[in-house]
Amino acid sequence: METDELSKPVLGIETSCDETGVALLRWEPDAPGRGLLAHTLYSQIKLHADYGGVVPELASRDHVRKLLPLIREALAQAGLGVRDLGGVAYTAGPGLVGALLVGASVGRALAWALGVPAIGVHHMEGHLLAPLLEADPPEPPFVALLVSGGHSMLVEVKAIGRYTILGDTLDDAAGEAFDKTAKLMGLPYPGGPALAKLAAQGMAGAFRFSRPMTDRPGLDFSFSGLKTQVLLAWQKSDQGEQTRADVARAFEEAIVDTLVIKCRRALEATGTQRLVIAGGVGANRHLRSELAKAGEKDGFRVYFPRLDFCTDNGAMIALAGAIRLASGQRQDETVQVRPRWDLQSLPAA
């Protein structure tokens, strides 16, 4: 960005799935919050609840309805007008193609109309950088556990834009396993938070499930077999309310233990003592507690974004976009999205 543009806020737009997020951030690298001025969010949970999952076409249409009002709301929160913007950042992928196109089209058109630069942001990089919005942010190098939607991956971060995937999802990611397991036990959509809440009422030791792929070397994840174990245990049980809570607790413990074991391995393999947790599953209280305990025991530090920034949001997109715009990166005027996008293919910022 030019010198005058650097002093102006970046508008961040997130529309990758079922949440419409908008934020304004004035790039301040050394300030807590990195200069975050405003953020607004609309969730489509009620819209998709009757279907038990996200309906892509409905998601796209709802982004069309909600995005411009949210942009106006964020500008009002910050006391700014569109002419005060110095750049626009939008999620370009990965995600639902129709939903991505809504944010990309609005972001690209707004940037063109204002004559300011625009940048398409990788959704997972946004999650990865979300802890940098906190008062005491981590500095690279660090290891990041990204557990968001269909993603469960461990990433070595040598610098912003220099990423090496250490372990990835082979089938069901942790978030998918939470949602699918909740559904098979009859819990309401969205299943993950409902299952985690129910697990707090479960009795320890009533059930025990395996910790997938922890009995062999490697950092990849696979939770489809765990989901099957839970299904069989549930079908053979009395399916009472206490049993439902007991199964939920055993399932959550299996997921959390697996994530903690893999994080410890990744830190040991890289020689890093900083661990970043990001994505929707990063809001899980049991995971946060167990990782904090592991950090105290092993001597590593864990960084979490605040709960508002674990799920999809515009603030993380504004931050990632501001960093890349400040480094001189630009998007051309073509509206392009990438439903599949390798995190390792990103250029350094």
Side-chain angles (χ1 to χ4, degrees):
M1 297 172 73
E2 301 297 332
T3 303
D4 59 337
E5 292 171 346
L6 281 169
S7 64
K8 295 182 178 181
V10 171
L11 173 70
I13 297 172
E14 157 59 22
T15 62
S16 66
C17 190
D18 61 342
E19 286 162 319
T20 314
V22 174
L24 291 164
L25 182 143
R26 180 178 287 112
W27 179 231
E28 298 178 18
D30 299 322
R34 307 284 174 159
L36 183 64
L37 302 175
H39 66 97
T40 60
L41 183 70
Y42 173 78
S43 174
Q44 299 177 1
I45 285 177
K46 291 182 180 179
L47 175 67
H48 301 289
D50 289 342
Y51 305 94
V54 177
V55 181
E57 179 63 24
L58 295 181
S60 303
R61 293 180 182 183
D62 218 35
H63 287 309
V64 171
R65 285 190 287 264
K66 301 298 183 182
L67 183 52
L68 290 180
L70 285 176
I71 291 174
R72 296 189 188 101
E73 182 181 339
L75 288 167
Q77 281 184 17
L80 300 171
V82 290
R83 296 291 176 184
D84 296 313
L85 297 177
V88 179
Y90 55 88
T91 303
L96 301 175
V97 63
L100 291 168
L101 281 168
V102 175
S105 299
V106 171
R108 183 58 266 178
L110 185 57
W112 180 84
L114 296 173
V116 299
I119 189 77
V121 172
H122 193 294
H123 180 75
M124 298 310 293
E125 182 176 52
H127 277 301
L128 187 153
L129 298 180
L132 273 63
L133 291 162
E134 303 306 322
D136 185 18
E139 294 293 333
F142 56 80
V143 168
L145 172 66
L146 301 180
V147 275
S148 172
H151 301 274
S152 290
M153 63 175 68
L154 283 160
V155 182
E156 182 180 14
V157 180
K158 297 177 182 176
I160 294 175
R162 293 181 59 199
Y163 308 131
T164 301
I165 296 178
L166 305 171
D168 205 346
T169 305
L170 300 182
D171 41 55
D172 283 354
E176 288 177 311
F178 263 103
D179 289 339
K180 291 177 180 179
T181 299
K183 187 174 183 177
L184 69 85
M185 290 198 299
L187 295 176
Y189 175 84
L195 189 147
K197 183 178 180 180
L198 183 63
Q201 305 169 28
M203 182 172 62
F207 292 87
R208 178 175 173 81
F209 303 117
S210 66
R211 277 54 176 163
M213 297 185 70
T214 58
D215 59 348
R216 69 195 78 172
L219 296 171
D220 287 331
F221 299 97
S222 170
F223 293 111
S224 62
L226 174 60
K227 181 186 63 181
T228 302
Q229 288 182 50
V230 175
L231 173 62
L232 293 174
W234 176 245
Q235 290 176 336
K236 294 176 182 179
S237 75
D238 60 14
Q239 299 188 11
E241 287 306 308
Q242 185 57 50
T243 300
R244 192 193 307 268
D246 294 343
V247 170
R249 174 163 181 164
F251 168 80
E252 182 183 61
E253 288 175 346
I255 292 277
V256 168
D257 285 354
T258 300
L259 295 176
V260 171
I261 290 168
K262 298 283 186 170
C263 285
R264 280 175 149 162
R265 287 183 183 177
L267 291 169
E268 183 178 359
T270 59
T272 305
Q273 294 298 306
R274 288 186 286 272
L275 177 67
V276 161
I277 310 300
V281 181
N284 183 279
R285 297 187 183 280
H286 186 50
L287 176 63
R288 286 179 171 239
S289 173
E290 291 303 303
L291 282 172
K293 292 177 184 176
E296 290 179 6
K297 182 177 180 179
D298 294 357
F300 62 84
R301 183 170 177 185
V302 189
Y303 296 83
F304 299 98
R306 72 195 76 169
L307 295 180
D308 286 350
F309 297 155
C310 285
T311 54
D312 295 350
N313 64 87
M316 68 184 192
I317 302 304
L319 173 62
I323 291 172
R324 292 195 170 273
L325 287 171
S327 72
Q329 296 181 29
R330 301 286 188 276
Q331 204 78 38
D332 63 29
E333 295 182 1
T334 306
V335 177
Q336 293 181 328
V337 297
R338 303 178 67 175
R340 296 182 182 274
W341 192 357
D342 182 3
L343 184 65
Q344 296 175 119
S345 69
L346 294 177

